Amino acid sequence: MRGKREKTNENKDKTITMEMQKTYNPKDFEDRIYAEWENSGAFRAEIAADKVPFTIMMPPPNITGQLHMGHAMDATMQDTLIRFKRMQGYAALWLPGCDHASIATEVKIVEKMKSEGVTKADLGRDGFLKRAWEWKEQYGNRIMLQQRKMGTSCDWSRQAFTMDEKCSRAVREVFVNLYNKGLIYQGDRIINWCPCCKTALSDAEVEYAEENGHFWHLRYPAVDGSAEVIVATTRPETMLGDTAVAVHPADKRYQKLVGKMLKLPLTDREIPVVADEYVDPEFGTGCVKITPAHDPNDFEVGKRHDLPVLRVMNDDGTMNALAGKYNGLDRYEARKKIVADLEAQGALVKIEAHAHNVGHCYRCHSTVEPIVSKQWFVKMEPLAKPAIQAVMKNKVKFVPERFSKIYYNWMENVRDWCISRQLWWGHRIPVWYCQDCGKVVCTKEDPTVCPACGSAHLKQDEDVLDTWFSSALWPFSTLGFPEQTPDYKYFYPTDVLVTGYDIIFFWVARMIFSGIEHTGKVPFHDVLIHGIIRDEQGRKMSKSLGNGIDPLEVIEKYGADSLRLSLLTGVAPGNDTRYSDTKVEACRNFINKLWNATRFVLMNAEGKKIPAIETVKLAPADKWIISKLQNCIREVTTNLNKYELGVASDLAMGFVWDDFCDWYIELSKPALYGEDEGRKKDALAVLCFVLENALKLLHPFIPFVTEEIYSNLPNTKGSIMTSSFPRYNSKMAYKKEAKAFEGVMEIIKAVRAMKKNADCPPSKKVELNIVTDSKRLVQVNKDCIMKLSGASAVKLVESSAAIEGKTVSSVTELAEIYVPLGELVDIEKEKARLSAEIERIDGEIARAEGKLNNPNFVNKAPKKLVDDEKEKVKKYRDMKEKCIAQLNEL
């Protein structure tokens, strides 16, 4: 339940009424608070000349997606940073949005249509796109609504979509500019082809996994019968597209064969032997079959030797007419028949087991086929060079820095980017072909007539662009590029990108070179890399393992704040983390402790007006907690600025749990329960001051509960999310006073330890005799010492000689502490306990010695058992000596 926030925005010097619920239940307020934030416009970033902008672009989730733990981690990290910067006074923009996800979305829609007995061909392109947009409207916003459950403080008024009008205009601008510069071209090249999705894939969209396969060794005889060569392949079905066999020019074994013709088994074709330095003479037989249409390296060899390019496979993975009698067979069925026919013909030499990396489509996980195809490409070398320099010169910094190696490795070895996809959902390639004169037209606006011949018979290219082409423009397309909009001029370049290490080459690299090429600036200054969330056993979460965790279910059970905190604490940038309910429960326990601590403060403050901290006469304990608060402010701020979110959250939690709850609240009780009303109000003022600042430190991590508590505190107004983040105040550091008071705390700890060692209940009152040079310090804090150590009295003595009777002592840096032995221990009871313990130990010694005096045991038992019994006798005799000594002492 809220406090007085709805009634008035001015709460200074208000009289406190206790209106917080008794128990922490996030369901009572999380949804309500989020609605209040969103409706108030608190998330909107305004352009302000007197403010410094701070911008984060949300990595756009696919419209096919539902919230998973990766999104939850992403959202928590970004929201923590944006809330921190907003409270620091920046014009903080966190721009949300979704990606149209060409392949993933089209696959989903086609699956849905299939269940209805409808195909793409039935609908036609326009009909399919109408259905796709309807699907987007129905499902596309689902993940954005789910993000709100995490507490994400995005500027929803600027929400973008990669196929909205603004982003589409930027895509057209960039494509045409690159085309006009000669950096986009169309050509026949070996590309990665998914027979299931029936589209080209870029190198980054192929996932490799080791599989157990085979090497089929084949015999190719010379046409003149003078010789034969042995070649090996992992894909025998492609041998029907062989157009040569290559050997190394320096390999003396085959020099006489170069130029000769070989008979290609199962066909009526003859193919030449060519010499090419691509061949490794040390590998296998030193002979390599060359299939230019089905292997990227073979394609390059084919170009050098002007070899024919024979593609023997259709787009759906079946064999085509060039495969002869195997025409129409699935690639794997054809493989079986081809191998059988090769064996029957005597051309199969042997089959050898072979483990090798096989490429799979990142969406449907089908095995990818390298095939030659006419596609659109981006020429990468001119774009990669300045992008590499940007990271080398620290214009863009990876956090942690080690991830720049992945970036360099990708960019330095990048091939031209295949950007065309044989799909209908996506940005259609802005190229038209004149049906009369053959002119190719690429323009920013749709043409109506051919600029060469004036014909109106223009046909647009059928393909769409790779999803990542539009995603690469996300940091500036969303702000209005190519127009110089106010948003673009103020918020670009952005400040930090938060993303996982698995898409550094997919997305991060492409954004960097796109930003530099099209805006002349890097798109962001920092790239904060996080790891992936694994299960408790360290396994990656996946549908196949059934170990995925639904964040919405966790929120339903524990609340969003508990989940957020669990995803941050103890996690370093770039490192994987393990999800566990135990960790979420621990975070919920922390929040519950914060809730209960607040209730304690407000119950004691009820009906009172709390003075401002500046007017308070501070006690030593007050100065200590304020000093600890200042240290915490400085360290949390430093670590948030360094993107060490895990360290920052741990520091804030540690301060609240250990310093504030476990220590200061207890230290304040003598004042709160005492008769001095002035001192009582002073203690309450410190409690409220520290609690308010602690809530502000915690707010970026756990926004809901801190908002709910903040609204109930005295002397606060408005929302905590628009309040100022605490700043370190050296005047309130109280370093000398805090160090002195820690000497008092050491006395308390020493007494507690003495009780524990003596098995004395913590609640039992004991008399403390203290020898110290800091008598005034101990005297001033006598009430604290008595309350927290459980003392009946504190006596300052000059030396231990002044103390009568037996005592137990402890020494700290500040003092010597002596407690009468009889107060720690019931002497008669302890004597009886020790006598019983001695009797028990005598029994154990007798039992062990009985075994050792038995010749059968000593001679027949394993040596280890005998040695163990000897060790037991020694241990029990030592224990007996200690007990006798303690008994004699009593």
Side-chain angles (χ1 to χ4, degrees):
M1 186 173 182
R2 301 285 264 181
K4 302 293 186 179
R5 192 56 27 92
E6 282 73 43
K7 295 181 182 178
T8 175
N9 282 330
E10 182 56 63
N11 293 288
K12 192 170 170 113
D13 295 329
K14 72 180 181 184
T15 300
I16 304 306
T17 55
M18 182 63 195
E19 297 193 25
M20 277 179 67
Q21 293 292 344
K22 187 173 182 180
T23 56
Y24 165 63
N25 183 1
K27 291 180 183 178
D28 289 344
F29 53 82
E30 286 192 351
D31 288 345
R32 171 176 49 77
I33 286 176
Y34 194 89
E36 288 173 7
W37 284 334
E38 192 168 2
N39 294 336
S40 72
F43 301 157
R44 180 166 174 80
E46 302 294 347
I47 296 172
D50 61 337
K51 285 188 174 184
V52 177
F54 185 89
T55 314
I56 300 177
M57 293 292 174
M58 175 188 286
N62 294 347
I63 59 170
T64 58
Q66 294 197 62
L67 192 72
H68 58 63
M69 276 298 178
H71 295 129
M73 166 75 90
D74 244 5
T76 299
M77 293 177 71
Q78 291 170 78
D79 194 51
T80 297
L81 290 172
I82 211 72
R83 286 180 183 273
F84 168 57
K85 290 298 179 180
R86 188 185 289 123
M87 292 175 75
Q88 282 194 315
Y90 288 82
L93 169 63
W94 183 16
L95 193 148
C98 278
D99 194 296
H100 64 281
S102 284
I103 296 179
T105 304
E106 187 150 323
V107 166
K108 289 267 188 186
I109 297 168
V110 169
E111 283 176 357
K112 180 76 164 56
M113 288 164 50
K114 187 177 180 181
S115 69
E116 300 168 10
V118 181
T119 67
K120 286 172 69 177
D122 293 335
L123 295 178
R125 187 167 195 138
D126 289 343
F128 177 81
L129 288 176
K130 180 176 181 293
R131 182 145 183 165
W133 279 104
E134 289 170 354
W135 192 93
K136 185 263 176 187
E137 291 306 313
Q138 184 176 356
Y139 297 108
N141 208 38
R142 175 176 53 187
I143 195 166
M144 293 292 99
L145 296 172
Q146 292 171 337
Q147 291 269 25
R148 287 166 164 83
K149 295 290 287 184
M150 289 295 301
T152 51
S153 58
C154 311
D155 186 345
W156 297 110
S157 70
R158 288 181 169 92
Q159 183 173 336
F161 175 54
T162 48
M163 281 178 63
D164 65 23
E165 186 180 344
K166 186 164 33 176
C167 291
S168 297
R169 189 166 61 249
V171 167
R172 179 74 69 91
E173 175 84 12
V174 164
F175 185 97
V176 174
N177 289 345
L178 290 174
Y179 180 86
N180 290 337
K181 288 181 178 181
L183 293 175
I184 282 182
Y185 65 93
Q186 191 180 37
D188 290 305
R189 295 282 187 278
I190 283 281
I191 52 94
N192 305 295
W193 183 265
C194 175
C196 180
C197 298
K198 296 184 183 63
T199 185
L201 303 171
S202 71
D203 291 345
E205 292 169 311
V206 178
E207 296 176 343
Y208 288 91
E210 189 172 277
E211 291 185 359
N212 292 320
H214 297 90
F215 259 140
W216 284 270
H217 295 260
L218 312 179
R219 179 182 289 111
Y220 289 11
V223 171
D224 63 9
S226 62
E228 65 179 21
V229 298
I230 307 298
V231 296
T233 179
T234 58
R235 298 154 67 214
E237 63 276 12
T238 65
M239 58 85 60
L240 300 171
D242 288 2
T243 54
V245 167
V247 297
H248 195 278
D251 193 337
K252 293 180 181 179
R253 293 175 294 175
Y254 303 113
Q255 284 176 343
K256 289 182 181 180
L257 272 179
V258 174
K260 281 184 177 285
M261 301 301 288
L262 304 174
K263 177 76 174 70
L264 183 64
L266 308 184
T267 75
D268 56 3
R269 290 195 294 114
E270 297 176 359
I271 60 175
V273 177
V274 299
D276 196 282
E277 291 187 349
Y278 157 67
V279 179
D280 178 2
E282 302 297 322
F283 184 75
T285 63
C287 300
V288 178
K289 61 189 282 298
I290 302 299
T291 321
H294 293 277
D295 183 275
N297 295 312
D298 293 4
F299 182 80
E300 296 302 322
V301 174
K303 282 201 299 183
R304 288 194 288 273
H305 297 276
D306 199 23
L307 299 174
V309 178
L310 302 181
R311 179 176 162 179
V312 296
M313 203 176 290
N314 295 313
D315 288 350
D316 61 358
T318 59
M319 308 306 286
N320 63 22
L322 290 177
K325 71 175 187 178
Y326 309 102
N327 182 19
L329 292 178
D330 174 76
R331 52 183 168 164
Y332 298 119
E333 186 61 30
R335 177 181 293 180
K336 292 176 187 175
K337 290 186 179 297
I338 287 168
V339 170
D341 290 347
L342 286 167
E343 186 172 22
Q345 198 180 91
L348 180 62
V349 178
K350 64 176 178 177
I351 302 173
E352 187 180 15
H354 175 64
H356 60 135
N357 278 332
V358 177
H360 298 85
C361 173
Y362 80 115
R363 278 297 165 197
C364 70
H365 307 296
S366 300
T367 300
V368 167
E369 284 291 339
I371 58 172
V372 71
S373 178
K374 185 181 285 293
Q375 300 288 343
W376 288 94
F377 296 87
V378 173
K379 198 176 288 182
M380 283 303 305
E381 188 180 1
L383 299 173
K385 284 181 178 177
I388 292 168
Q389 286 299 307
V391 177
M392 283 186 168
K393 292 180 179 178
N394 284 329
K395 291 180 181 177
V396 177
K397 295 179 183 176
F398 281 83
V399 182
E401 194 276 333
R402 68 179 185 272
F403 286 100
S404 61
K405 293 175 185 175
I406 296 174
Y407 173 82
Y408 289 137
N409 184 56
W410 177 257
M411 294 297 281
E412 288 166 358
N413 298 286
V414 71
R415 296 196 303 171
D416 285 357
W417 175 16
C418 177
I419 56 169
S420 46
R421 298 290 181 270
Q422 288 62 52
L423 303 166
W424 285 351
W425 175 245
H427 296 98
R428 195 166 176 180
I429 288 177
V431 171
W432 287 260
Y433 307 97
C434 179
Q435 301 302 288
D436 292 329
C437 73
K439 174 75 174 175
V440 178
V441 183
C442 179
T443 59
K444 294 176 184 177
E445 304 296 333
D446 291 5
T448 55
V449 296
C450 173
C453 70
S455 169
H457 298 139
L458 298 174
K459 184 179 180 183
Q460 188 174 0
D461 197 291
E462 293 288 330
D463 291 350
V464 299
L465 287 165
D466 176 9
T467 296
W468 297 101
F469 190 93
S470 51
S471 301
L473 316 181
W474 187 250
F476 49 91
S477 65
T478 51
L479 296 172
F481 174 91
E483 279 77 36
Q484 293 289 313
T485 63
D487 274 5
Y488 176 69
K489 289 193 285 187
Y490 186 73
F491 291 111
Y492 186 83
T494 68
D495 289 272
V496 59
L497 173 75
V498 180
T499 190
Y501 56 64
D502 52 338
I503 57 172
I504 288 174
F505 40 80
F506 266 125
W507 190 43
V508 179
R510 288 169 177 166
M511 280 191 288
I512 293 173
F513 72 66
S514 297
I516 294 169
E517 170 66 20
H518 305 299
T519 72
K521 300 174 182 176
V522 295
F524 31 72
H525 303 301
D526 298 317
V527 181
L528 174 55
I529 299 292
H530 62 74
I532 61 173
I533 301 178
R534 299 182 179 274
D535 67 11
E536 283 189 88
Q537 298 174 48
R539 301 174 302 175
K540 191 173 181 178
M541 292 184 181
S542 68
K543 288 181 183 177
S544 59
L545 288 174
N547 62 345
I549 304 292
D550 183 350
L552 297 178
E553 291 180 6
V554 179
I555 290 170
E556 176 68 19
K557 186 175 181 181
Y558 298 105
D561 286 330
S562 300
L563 175 59
R564 287 171 62 114
L565 200 55
S566 74
L567 294 174
L568 292 177
T569 55
V571 180
N575 288 1
D576 291 350
T577 182
R578 296 187 182 190
Y579 172 85
S580 72
D581 279 341
T582 303
K583 192 174 181 184
V584 184
E585 286 169 4
C587 291
R588 192 186 195 284
N589 290 343
F590 166 76
I591 296 170
N592 198 56
K593 192 173 182 80
L594 174 66
W595 184 271
N596 291 336
T598 303
R599 279 183 52 80
F600 171 82
V601 173
L602 294 181
M603 280 191 294
N604 281 279
E606 192 165 12
K608 300 179 178 65
K609 288 186 177 181
I610 307 302
I613 194 68
E614 297 81 8
T615 66
V616 169
K617 183 179 179 182
L618 299 175
D622 302 336
K623 290 182 177 180
W624 171 78
I625 192 63
I626 291 172
S627 175
K628 297 293 282 186
L629 171 65
Q630 295 306 315
N631 287 338
C632 187
I633 290 169
R634 181 172 56 192
E635 291 301 314
V636 168
T637 303
T638 297
N639 280 284
L640 282 174
N641 282 326
K642 292 193 302 184
Y643 305 122
E644 290 284 357
L645 309 189
V647 175
S649 60
D650 288 345
L651 286 165
M653 286 176 68
F655 169 76
V656 169
W657 190 296
D658 300 329
D659 298 331
F660 184 65
C661 294
D662 285 356
W663 276 102
Y664 185 70
I665 284 180
E666 296 303 315
L667 289 165
S668 69
K669 286 179 179 178
L672 296 178
Y673 302 153
E675 300 299 322
D676 187 335
E677 288 299 318
R679 178 70 199 113
K680 188 178 297 184
K681 281 193 174 184
D682 287 349
L684 284 168
V686 175
L687 282 164
C688 291
F689 171 76
V690 174
L691 179 57
E692 179 184 336
N693 280 278
L695 291 172
K696 291 178 179 181
L697 290 175
L698 286 167
H699 177 72
F701 312 109
I702 47 174
F704 288 112
V705 70
T706 49
E707 182 71 81
E708 180 68 3
I709 292 174
Y710 185 82
S711 70
N712 284 281
L713 292 189
N715 304 341
T716 61
K717 59 182 178 180
S719 167
I720 191 172
M721 72 175 287
T722 53
S723 67
S724 295
F725 198 77
R727 296 181 65 179
Y728 177 75
N729 184 347
S730 59
K731 292 180 180 177
M732 300 183 87
Y734 303 122
K735 292 180 182 178
K736 184 178 177 182
E737 294 93 331
K739 182 170 174 49
F741 188 75
E742 281 175 359
V744 174
M745 293 169 68
E746 289 303 314
I747 292 175
I748 294 167
K749 290 176 187 175
V751 176
R752 289 174 173 176
M754 291 160 74
K755 286 184 175 182
K756 184 178 180 181
N757 292 338
D759 288 328
C760 174
S763 57
K764 185 177 181 182
K765 303 294 184 186
V766 296
E767 178 186 287
L768 305 185
N769 295 274
I770 297 176
V771 179
T772 179
D773 292 333
S774 303
K775 291 183 174 60
R776 186 174 183 282
L777 180 64
V778 173
Q779 189 63 41
V780 167
N781 293 286
K782 188 168 82 169
D783 288 349
C784 291
I785 295 171
M786 289 178 66
K787 168 69 180 165
L788 271 72
S789 66
S792 56
V794 172
K795 295 181 180 178
L796 292 170
V797 295
E798 291 301 323
S799 71
S800 58
I803 307 167
E804 295 181 359
K806 292 189 177 293
T807 61
V808 177
S809 65
S810 183
V811 179
T812 71
E813 191 177 336
L814 183 74
E816 298 169 26
I817 307 116
Y818 297 89
V819 177
L821 179 62
E823 296 203 0
L824 278 177
V825 179
D826 181 327
I827 293 177
E828 291 305 318
K829 188 176 177 182
E830 183 65 7
K831 282 163 69 175
R833 186 190 72 79
L834 286 170
S835 296
E837 180 67 2
I838 291 167
E839 189 175 334
R840 184 189 72 81
I841 292 170
D842 280 338
E844 292 293 340
I845 292 171
R847 186 194 62 78
E849 286 182 338
K851 277 188 174 184
L852 293 172
N853 290 332
N854 182 345
N856 285 333
F857 174 77
V858 174
N859 295 328
K860 294 179 180 179
K863 183 175 183 301
K864 185 178 184 305
L865 284 181
V866 176
D867 290 343
D868 285 349
E869 289 302 319
K870 289 179 179 177
E871 187 61 35
K872 282 180 186 176
V873 170
K874 182 176 181 302
K875 180 183 77 172
Y876 286 129
R877 283 177 176 161
D878 288 344
M879 289 171 63
K880 182 178 178 180
E881 283 182 21
K882 288 177 183 176
C883 287
I884 290 170
Q886 289 177 27
L887 189 59
N888 291 336
E889 182 81 11
L890 293 173

